[in-house]
Amino acid sequence: MSELFDAVDALVASRAKLPPPAERKRLRAAHGLTIDEVATALKVRRATVSGWESGKTEPRPPERDAYARLLDKLAELYPADAAAAPVQDAAVPATFTAAPAPAEARTLSTGQASEAADMTAPENTQTPAPNAAAPAAAPRPARTTRTSSTSRRPGAKKAAPAGTPAGTDPRFENGPLAVVDVKDGQVLAYCTGGLVLDVPAKSIPALVDWTLREAKLGQPKLAGPGKDADPLLVLTEAALKRYGLPVTLTEEERLAGRLPEGHKVVKQLTRAEWKLTKRGFGPWARIYRPATGSERACVQLCIPSWHALDTRHWGEAGQLPPAELARVLGVYASRVMTPRGSTAVTGLELMTALHPPTRASEPDETGKRHSEHNPGSLGKDAIDPMNWPPCEVPDGHPVLKDLPRFHVRGPGEKLFEEAYDWARPMTDAECTLRHLVGIDVNMAFAAGANGLTVGLGEATHVKAPVFDPKLPGSWLVDLSHVDLSRVKVGKEWVELDGSLLPSPFTPKGERPEGPAWYATPTVAYAVELGYEVRPLEAWVRYENGRYLDGWYKRLRDAFLATMADLGVDADLAPADFLAAMDGYKQRDPELAIVVAAIKATVKGGLGKLRERPRGEGWRPGEPWRALSRPTWRPDIRAAVISRTRINLHRKIVKHAAFTGQYPIAILSDCVVYASAGPSPLDFLPYRDGTPLPGGFKLGINPGLVKWEGTQSVLWGEEVRERFDAPELNLARYIKDGTVTDVDNGE
């Protein structure tokens, strides 16, 4: 009889009454629940809950009964406001409404584009007017009683307090971005959180105008004196066709990075008095009108089919369906910032967003405020190219224009702080072990930036200075006397086999042969190892600060939050951490894309600090475009890389002093050791779950290490013998063991 009762209960549950999709979302948000939390409780995918809230899908047993019970409980706690009834007055512009249950009317309408936007549409447009032939939508409850305004842009409203989370600012209630697609003849904008908007615009100028007036897209500023992020529109191939844009660029357009000035869409924008930045209409186009007062009028476009989303950093994101792509970019935007271009560009823009160059002054005697330098920032003006220290700039820089044409600068003329690329032959004892195990430092360069004091202004040249480890700069000093066979570890001198260790002072691990230029962290490490240093000269920066701290924390938090979503928490025990990392990308491939993009933002942003010429007819000795940026700061990049390399060497030395084990190969942030077992736990010195203080520690936090890969010692010896390269860098191939060509150091 109980089985019959269970069957009856299941039958009743299969018809459990559910509120409309908009109400489902309201109830969840009212209780402060995230979609991920609901999905975890119901044991379904995040996209499933998102589909229920957008009306795309309906829950089925057994989840339907549990979902209905959750909503019933929330409805008791948060009853619907009687005032939030559907808008009935047809004369009032349509509200942002939740997706209806009927499939043919599941999108959200934001009303017609403004009259000014309609006027920008070309007369010969072949696409039908939006909503003209669309079936009548079924009556549906409004998400809010407040109507959208077609006469006032979001930017004109009062600014929210700095740090307001995206989604809570009413100006940006639909999120930071939207993926624009065409389905069944209707243009749709897929926003974050499963929201879908009708797009009435019939041309690119109209689309820009609609975005600023109606879409309620954007993101609050990250710092007090900063600026709100402009809305981002991602155009799918179907959207490109609808708006008269090519699906792919020609080879000539690809090399130029833009459409030609005579393209019809560029002409439409010109007629509508919209402007493009110097980059023109390319994969990351910015369309704007000059700001009037505090009001900004700017929209950015991202075009994946024009290779806006580099597969090296975004994986297959550009091939995702619109809703999934909106989720990937939305998570990145909420945790890092709205993408402003490549991950490298965004990494650099994040620095500026967290440290805006100017701020408003205190009121003067007339009560008026003025723009002034924001302390702790790099300012609004770039350093004059001719004021750069010659040792800090790359070849071809204007300050080096008087050098002979084919002159090659050596260590005594050029600061060369780069990541490790070092390897050595294995010892006889190491060859008796079975495995080569690679460990990789998480977010190594981000960790190197954490707490680092860097220069903010121009450098001052000093002859025969006394070294100051707290003073950022570049120092010409001879470190060839530092002997790694006897160094200080902490306060004690220890004896090591220096022949098995790389020098901490050169990227190739070679011992320096005389005076060379080094960044402050490198020279400070020589002192830490117990050796005296006497710089011959230096370029130091007395105006300095921890400029990258906020940048590091933002990216660290983004990385840790996304890895936690993938099941890898920051407080796992070593064995549990290794288990959690096994196959973590397959748990949610979309979030795995976000992780890769965050990592690329770190490396790319730092690399952008020393951006080289990019064609444009540049000749050695002439300035190039990047030099005009305040954020062209090769000295900061050098300091971060120096500290990252030193941090790694410090761990290697402590590990060697405690265990007698030495690395076989190092590539950037990956270190390979010979081991009796295949796991990092087989050679890392843990005692009762506690790692060696100051040594390698397994974990997901930046600066801690993860398992990179394991191969056999026989594999390593066979590869080196096959290529006749006894010092082939095995760290480059340790992950999957695939070696396609001789290691060339690139």
Side-chain angles (χ1 to χ4, degrees):
M1 182 65 70
S2 62
E3 293 180 358
L4 292 177
F5 287 165
D6 290 341
V8 170
D9 289 342
L11 190 63
V12 172
S14 69
R15 300 294 188 272
K17 186 177 181 181
L18 297 173
E23 181 65 4
R24 303 170 195 174
K25 182 175 182 180
R26 185 192 72 81
L27 291 171
R28 173 182 60 77
H31 200 60
L33 298 175
T34 66
I35 291 180
D36 291 306
E37 289 174 325
V38 175
T40 300
L42 299 179
K43 297 181 179 179
V44 298
R45 295 177 62 245
R46 182 187 190 282
T48 302
V49 178
S50 180
W52 296 345
E53 291 189 355
S54 66
K56 294 181 180 179
T57 59
E58 287 294 312
R60 293 179 294 182
E63 292 84 5
R64 185 182 180 93
D65 184 34
Y67 189 45
R69 184 171 301 185
L70 170 66
L71 295 175
D72 285 343
K73 294 292 185 182
L74 294 178
E76 294 176 5
L77 295 172
Y78 310 100
D81 188 350
V87 177
Q88 302 293 338
D89 189 354
V92 179
T95 60
F96 290 93
T97 56
E104 67 273 10
R106 65 171 179 262
T107 58
L108 304 179
S109 172
T110 60
Q112 297 295 323
S114 68
E115 181 180 350
D118 287 336
M119 292 174 62
T120 63
E123 295 179 1
N124 61 348
T125 300
Q126 299 298 316
T127 54
N131 301 326
R140 52 195 175 185
R143 195 169 82 188
T144 174
T145 56
R146 183 176 53 78
T147 61
S148 62
S149 171
T150 59
S151 61
R152 187 179 187 186
R153 291 181 183 157
K157 299 183 180 180
K158 184 178 180 181
T164 302
T168 61
D169 191 322
R171 299 172 300 153
F172 312 127
E173 63 183 44
N174 292 328
L177 54 89
V179 180
V180 180
D181 190 33
V182 179
K183 190 169 184 179
D184 299 327
Q186 175 62 51
V187 182
L188 308 174
Y190 292 81
C191 306
T192 56
L195 185 69
V196 184
L197 307 176
D198 283 327
V199 180
K202 295 178 287 185
S203 68
I204 289 294
L207 178 65
V208 173
D209 196 272
W210 170 83
T211 302
L212 293 170
R213 292 179 180 271
E214 302 294 331
K216 299 188 184 300
L217 297 173
Q219 192 175 31
K221 57 190 176 182
L222 297 179
K227 299 175 182 177
D228 297 325
D230 298 317
L232 173 66
L233 297 181
V234 184
L235 303 184
T236 66
E237 294 184 10
L240 293 174
K241 294 177 182 177
R242 168 61 66 92
Y243 290 118
L245 292 165
V247 172
T248 59
L249 298 177
T250 65
E251 183 64 14
E252 183 180 355
E253 291 167 346
R254 186 188 67 80
L255 293 174
R258 63 175 70 193
L259 293 178
E261 296 296 325
H263 192 279
K264 63 178 181 180
V265 172
V266 178
K267 290 182 177 180
Q268 289 175 13
L269 291 167
T270 301
R271 287 198 300 269
E273 298 183 347
W274 290 105
K275 296 180 179 293
L276 293 165
T277 60
K278 292 181 180 179
R279 291 187 177 184
F281 203 118
W284 289 93
R286 296 188 68 79
I287 304 171
Y288 72 100
R289 285 187 180 127
T292 55
S294 61
E295 181 180 355
R296 288 172 56 83
C298 183
V299 172
Q300 179 154 325
L301 303 183
C302 168
I303 306 177
S305 66
W306 294 4
H307 304 294
L309 301 175
D310 192 324
T311 55
R312 295 173 298 174
H313 309 140
W314 289 102
E316 301 301 317
Q319 307 300 319
L320 291 174
E324 283 76 3
L325 179 55
R327 180 201 175 201
V328 168
L329 294 177
V331 171
Y332 179 89
S334 65
R335 293 177 177 175
V336 180
M337 70 180 299
T338 303
R340 296 287 304 272
S342 66
T343 50
V345 169
T346 304
L348 199 67
E349 291 287 344
L350 180 62
M351 297 179 194
T352 303
L354 293 169
H355 285 286
T358 60
R359 66 178 184 182
S361 67
E362 293 296 323
D364 59 18
E365 60 276 5
T366 64
K368 187 176 181 180
R369 296 178 183 269
H370 305 274
S371 176
E372 66 177 15
H373 175 74
N374 184 28
S377 75
L378 299 181
K380 62 183 180 63
D381 298 318
I383 294 176
D384 187 323
M386 301 310 295
N387 290 342
W388 273 99
C391 63
E392 292 182 347
V393 299
D395 294 338
H397 190 277
V399 81
L400 304 175
K401 65 181 180 180
D402 293 332
L403 285 180
R405 182 175 179 185
F406 297 106
H407 178 75
V408 178
R409 293 187 294 161
E413 300 173 277
K414 179 180 179 181
L415 178 68
F416 192 66
E417 296 283 9
E418 298 294 340
Y420 267 130
D421 185 355
W422 170 87
R424 63 169 176 83
M426 284 185 272
T427 65
D428 292 343
E430 289 165 342
C431 288
T432 65
L433 301 175
R434 297 184 59 186
H435 303 280
L436 295 175
V437 183
I439 53 177
D440 183 82
V441 182
N442 293 310
M443 302 270 283
F445 293 99
N450 181 31
L452 177 65
T453 300
V454 299
L456 300 178
E458 294 188 5
T460 300
H461 190 224
V462 183
K463 286 285 188 178
V466 175
F467 177 68
D468 182 353
K470 297 181 180 180
L471 191 59
S474 301
W475 309 78
L476 181 63
V477 58
D478 189 351
L479 300 180
S480 60
H481 63 293
V482 177
D483 183 5
L484 295 181
S485 298
R486 186 173 185 272
V487 297
K488 266 190 175 181
V489 177
K491 296 182 179 180
E492 297 182 359
W493 287 93
V494 298
E495 303 289 335
L496 301 173
D497 189 340
S499 67
L500 301 180
L501 285 170
S503 167
F505 309 127
T506 61
K508 289 292 184 181
E510 301 164 343
R511 187 168 181 168
E513 297 179 351
W517 286 99
Y518 302 101
T520 297
T522 301
V523 185
Y525 186 56
V527 176
E528 180 184 327
L529 292 176
Y531 290 85
E532 184 182 10
V533 297
R534 294 182 179 179
L536 303 176
E537 60 178 297
W539 289 89
V540 295
R541 289 173 169 83
Y542 296 107
E543 181 188 357
N544 53 64
R546 292 167 58 162
Y547 176 73
L548 295 173
D549 273 11
W551 184 81
Y552 160 76
K553 292 174 183 176
R554 180 83 177 174
L555 290 165
R556 176 204 62 190
D557 293 348
F559 175 70
L560 293 180
T562 311
M563 289 301 297
D565 289 343
L566 287 164
V568 185
D569 294 314
D571 55 354
L572 293 173
D576 294 334
F577 167 70
L578 291 175
M581 286 294 292
D582 186 19
Y584 77 93
K585 294 181 180 179
Q586 282 67 49
R587 293 177 200 142
D588 191 329
E590 293 173 10
L591 287 183
I593 292 174
V594 177
V595 170
I598 293 171
K599 291 180 179 179
T601 303
V602 173
K603 290 187 176 181
L606 293 172
K608 205 78 172 171
L609 290 169
R610 196 189 66 169
E611 184 176 354
R612 301 292 189 91
R614 305 177 65 182
E616 301 175 347
W618 174 81
R619 293 181 179 179
E622 296 179 350
W624 57 92
R625 183 189 300 181
L627 300 187
S628 63
R629 294 194 321 249
T631 49
W632 193 82
R633 294 298 301 268
D635 58 307
I636 296 179
R637 172 188 177 274
V640 173
I641 295 176
S642 164
R643 191 161 185 247
T644 302
R645 193 183 66 248
I646 294 306
N647 285 346
L648 182 59
H649 196 274
R650 184 183 292 111
K651 289 180 170 61
I652 290 170
V653 166
K654 290 195 174 183
H655 184 86
F658 188 80
T659 68
Q661 298 169 338
Y662 295 84
I664 302 294
I666 310 173
L667 182 67
S668 187
D669 46 13
C670 176
V671 188
V672 176
Y673 281 91
S675 171
S679 167
L681 289 175
D682 291 317
F683 72 92
L684 292 182
Y686 272 84
R687 289 183 178 177
D688 300 324
T690 302
L692 171 68
F696 295 109
K697 178 182 178 182
L698 289 167
I700 197 59
N701 276 294
L704 305 189
V705 299
K706 67 178 185 297
W707 176 61
E708 180 69 5
T710 297
Q711 305 297 329
S712 69
V713 168
L714 290 177
W715 164 85
E717 288 294 274
E718 187 276 329
V719 166
R720 285 178 164 178
E721 183 178 345
R722 186 188 348 149
F723 291 107
D724 191 23
E727 296 184 6
L728 182 76
N729 195 332
L730 299 176
R732 182 172 277 107
Y733 316 108
I734 195 71
K735 189 163 191 172
D736 59 12
T738 302
V739 183
T740 56
D741 203 349
V742 177
D743 178 18
N744 60 9
E746 292 296 326

